[in-house]
Coordinates of all heavy atoms in Angstrom, one line a residue:
S35 N 23.1 21.5 -65.1 CA 21.9 21.8 -64.3 C 21.4 20.6 -63.6 O 21.1 20.5 -62.4 CB 20.9 22.6 -65.0 OG 21.4 23.8 -65.6
L36 N 21.1 19.5 -64.4 CA 20.6 18.3 -63.9 C 21.5 17.7 -62.9 O 21.1 17.1 -61.8 CB 20.3 17.3 -65.0 CG 19.2 17.7 -65.9 CD1 19.1 16.7 -67.1 CD2 17.8 17.7 -65.2
T37 N 22.8 17.8 -63.2 CA 23.8 17.2 -62.2 C 23.8 18.0 -60.9 O 23.8 17.4 -59.8 CB 25.2 17.3 -62.8 OG1 25.2 16.6 -64.0 CG2 26.3 16.7 -61.9
L38 N 23.7 19.3 -61.0 CA 23.6 20.1 -59.7 C 22.4 19.8 -59.0 O 22.4 19.8 -57.7 CB 23.7 21.6 -60.1 CG 25.1 22.1 -60.6 CD1 25.0 23.6 -61.1 CD2 26.2 21.9 -59.6
L39 N 21.2 19.7 -59.7 CA 20.0 19.4 -59.0 C 20.0 18.0 -58.3 O 19.5 17.8 -57.2 CB 18.8 19.4 -60.0 CG 18.4 20.8 -60.5 CD1 17.3 20.7 -61.6 CD2 17.9 21.7 -59.3
S40 N 20.6 17.1 -59.0 CA 20.7 15.7 -58.4 C 21.7 15.7 -57.2 O 21.4 15.1 -56.2 CB 21.2 14.7 -59.4 OG 22.5 15.1 -59.9
L41 N 22.8 16.5 -57.3 CA 23.7 16.6 -56.2 C 23.0 17.3 -55.0 O 23.2 16.9 -53.8 CB 24.9 17.4 -56.6 CG 25.9 16.6 -57.5 CD1 27.0 17.6 -58.0 CD2 26.5 15.4 -56.8
Q42 N 22.2 18.3 -55.3 CA 21.5 19.1 -54.3 C 20.5 18.1 -53.6 O 20.3 18.1 -52.4 CB 20.8 20.3 -54.8 CG 20.1 21.1 -53.8 CD 19.4 22.3 -54.4 OE1 19.5 22.6 -55.6 NE2 18.8 23.1 -53.5
G43 N 19.8 17.3 -54.4 CA 18.8 16.4 -53.9 C 19.5 15.3 -53.0 O 19.0 14.9 -52.0
F44 N 20.6 14.9 -53.5 CA 21.4 13.9 -52.7 C 21.9 14.5 -51.4 O 21.8 13.8 -50.3 CB 22.6 13.4 -53.5 CG 23.4 12.4 -52.8 CD1 23.0 11.1 -52.6 CD2 24.6 12.8 -52.2 CE1 23.8 10.2 -51.8 CE2 25.5 12.0 -51.5 CZ 25.1 10.7 -51.3
A45 N 22.3 15.7 -51.4 CA 22.8 16.4 -50.2 C 21.7 16.6 -49.2 O 21.8 16.3 -48.0 CB 23.4 17.7 -50.6
Q46 N 20.5 17.0 -49.8 CA 19.3 17.1 -48.9 C 18.9 15.8 -48.3 O 18.6 15.7 -47.1 CB 18.2 17.8 -49.6 CG 16.9 17.9 -48.7 CD 15.9 18.8 -49.4 OE1 16.1 19.5 -50.3 NE2 14.7 18.7 -48.8
A47 N 18.9 14.7 -49.1 CA 18.5 13.4 -48.7 C 19.4 12.9 -47.6 O 19.0 12.3 -46.6 CB 18.5 12.4 -49.8
S48 N 20.8 13.2 -47.7 CA 21.7 12.7 -46.7 C 21.7 13.6 -45.5 O 22.1 13.1 -44.4 CB 23.1 12.7 -47.3 OG 23.5 14.1 -47.7
A49 N 21.2 14.8 -45.6 CA 21.1 15.7 -44.4 C 19.9 15.4 -43.6 O 19.9 15.7 -42.4 CB 21.1 17.2 -44.9
V50 N 18.8 15.0 -44.2 CA 17.6 14.7 -43.5 C 17.1 13.3 -43.7 O 17.0 12.8 -44.8 CB 16.4 15.7 -44.0 CG1 15.2 15.4 -43.2 CG2 16.9 17.1 -43.8
K51 N 16.9 12.6 -42.6 CA 16.4 11.2 -42.6 C 15.2 11.1 -41.8 O 15.2 11.3 -40.6 CB 17.5 10.3 -42.1 CG 17.1 8.8 -42.1 CD 18.2 7.9 -41.5 CE 17.8 6.5 -41.5 NZ 18.9 5.6 -40.9
V52 N 14.0 10.7 -42.4 CA 12.8 10.5 -41.7 C 12.8 9.2 -41.0 O 12.9 8.1 -41.6 CB 11.6 10.6 -42.7 CG1 10.3 10.4 -41.9 CG2 11.6 12.0 -43.4

Side-chain angles (χ1 to χ4, degrees):
S35 300
L36 291 174
T37 302
L38 292 175
L39 289 174
S40 62
L41 289 174
Q42 183 179 0
F44 175 77
Q46 178 170 347
S48 60
V50 181
K51 180 181 179 182
V52 178

